[in-house]
Amino acid sequence: MNIHGIPTRTLRADSARRAIEIIDQTRLPHALHWVGVGTLDEAAHAIRAMQVRGAPLIGATAAYGLAIALNDEAGDTRLDEAIAILGATRPTAVNLHWALARLDKVLRPLPPAQRGSAAWAEAAAIAEEDVAQNAAIGQHGLELLRRLPRRDSRVLNVMTHCNAGWLATVDWGTALAPVYAAHDAGLPVHVWVSETRPRNQGLLTAWELAQHGVPHTLLADNAAGLLMCSGQVDAVIVGADRIAANGDVANKVGTYLKALACADNDIPFYVAAPRSTLDFACADGAAIPIEERDGDEFRLVHGTDSRGTPAAVRQLPADEAVANPAFDVTPARLVAAIITERGACPASRAGLLDLYPEETA
């Protein structure tokens, strides 16, 4: 995707230095700032503090974080320690644990002297696969968008929630990949961007859409239902942090409410995600752990002051009791289709296994 007209990825790896650079997404949309990650602690902090966000990008960062951890010592003790530290950073996004398990499977049989190079190669493979899979999601989603009837005959109006664009992946994005594909193919498209409190990831969506030249409008989360019932939304597309074997979807909190509004207004609700987000070992949404984040994310509002300096404003007393669940679960019955790199399918075990028959083994 583009930043100031320049094709850019969210993660830059330097295999010679055995380090990576990431976009510090806590500084967006006010400033584009790259951060170096050269230690295990820095990688864990980047994931935990949401300098990197989005399940696919978290998985790729974790893979490189494990490779970085093995730079100087690659014995079993260090391997176990690094996997445990990275695995504890975010509980809901399954891509994190998928990436760590994939590297562990590759590295464990190798002698320690070979693990460092092998880890870097496997992390790079995960990153490249993410780009290719997301591009494929874009094309499969584009076919769905082309077939949608438009309430406004001139423009296709798509709503999204959280950030599931290229900032949430290595490139292209998941939910926004079909939008970018539609825009690049000349299909008139406009995106309703939900702000997604309390971390306001919708601001990141608006920023990246602006960079790529896609028409969009930011809206308060609670305005979504009004727009749907007044005929201003043709489809909703979201990403996912984990999809259970039965098609239940865990995504940023507030997603379930949008799915309910879609059902009430006969609007298709799509979920876009790569294979690494599918958890066939998880029977249904009830088994998905829901991350509870620090209450200060709710008590404080972050932005910039009149001089453009990052600042935080307290909207609640420090001792105010708050709940801050980061995710909710949308039941499969509310999902029109799940879009993966292999195509679109019904949100059901049968539908997912039709795309991934190898999972029956």
Side-chain angles (χ1 to χ4, degrees):
M1 295 288 96
N2 294 325
I3 297 179
H4 305 310
I6 301 172
T8 306
R9 290 185 176 183
T10 55
L11 186 154
R12 302 190 295 215
D14 187 337
S15 58
R17 291 178 50 242
R18 296 292 178 96
I20 62 173
E21 285 187 315
I22 58 168
I23 296 173
D24 183 354
Q25 296 188 32
T26 64
R27 301 281 297 273
L28 291 173
H30 307 291
L32 176 63
H33 184 68
W34 290 87
V35 174
V37 175
T39 69
L40 171 61
D41 288 343
E42 288 172 348
H45 173 77
I47 297 170
R48 187 183 303 109
M50 296 178 69
Q51 289 179 309
V52 292
R53 317 184 194 197
L57 182 57
I58 288 172
T61 304
Y64 275 113
L66 182 54
I68 288 169
L70 304 182
N71 281 344
D72 299 319
E73 167 56 42
D76 285 352
T77 299
R78 180 59 169 172
L79 180 60
D80 292 337
E81 176 191 34
I83 290 173
I85 289 173
L86 292 166
T89 53
R90 300 290 302 275
T92 303
V94 73
N95 306 61
L96 167 67
H97 308 285
W98 167 85
L100 294 174
R102 173 168 162 173
L103 261 73
D104 186 42
K105 183 177 180 180
V106 170
L107 301 176
R108 190 72 62 175
L110 299 177
Q114 296 179 17
R115 286 176 175 172
S117 297
W120 276 93
E122 195 66 19
I126 287 174
E128 292 304 321
E129 288 170 18
D130 180 67
V131 176
Q133 288 175 343
N134 294 332
I137 287 172
Q139 292 305 308
H140 294 305
L142 172 59
E143 292 309 307
L144 291 178
L145 295 183
R146 287 189 189 278
R147 297 197 296 266
L148 282 176
R150 305 180 199 173
R151 288 164 171 81
D152 178 340
S153 61
R154 295 165 299 172
V155 177
L156 181 67
N157 283 289
V158 177
M159 182 179 288
T160 189
H161 186 68
C162 193
N163 175 257
W166 71 267
L167 286 169
T169 66
V170 179
D171 206 351
W172 280 104
T174 54
L176 287 190
V179 171
Y180 287 126
H183 174 77
D184 291 349
L187 182 68
V189 61
H190 166 265
V191 183
W192 291 108
V193 180
S194 176
E195 62 177 347
T196 319
R197 297 190 70 234
R199 290 300 294 247
N200 293 332
Q201 285 106 312
L203 276 61
L204 306 186
T205 298
W207 181 85
E208 65 168 86
L209 288 171
Q211 293 294 325
H212 202 71
V214 180
H216 63 280
T217 305
L218 192 68
L219 70 142
D221 290 353
N222 289 337
L226 174 65
L227 293 176
M228 291 189 202
C229 72
S230 60
Q232 298 183 66
V233 179
D234 297 308
V236 172
I237 307 179
V238 301
D241 287 81
R242 187 183 304 224
I243 299 176
N246 72 333
D248 289 348
V249 176
N251 194 49
K252 184 58 60 179
V253 69
T255 300
Y256 177 40
L257 296 179
K258 286 185 170 55
L260 288 171
C262 282
D264 194 49
N265 290 281
D266 196 27
I267 294 170
F269 178 88
Y270 298 120
V271 175
R275 167 63 187 88
S276 55
T277 305
L278 306 178
D279 188 356
F280 285 97
C282 180
D284 55 39
I288 298 175
I290 300 299
E291 178 183 2
E292 180 76 23
R293 292 189 60 82
D294 192 320
D296 275 350
E297 291 184 348
F298 189 25
R299 299 184 188 99
L300 302 174
V301 177
H302 293 268
T304 59
D305 62 20
S306 59
R307 296 168 294 182
T309 304
V313 176
R314 179 170 294 282
Q315 66 174 352
L316 289 170
D319 60 354
E320 182 69 43
V322 300
N324 188 22
F327 304 93
D328 59 24
V329 176
T330 299
R333 61 182 171 80
L334 297 177
V335 180
I338 294 173
I339 310 166
T340 81
E341 74 282 359
R342 293 189 182 180
C345 71
S348 65
R349 181 172 180 81
L352 290 170
L353 289 177
D354 187 50
L355 290 184
Y356 299 92
E358 67 272 17
E359 296 298 331
T360 59

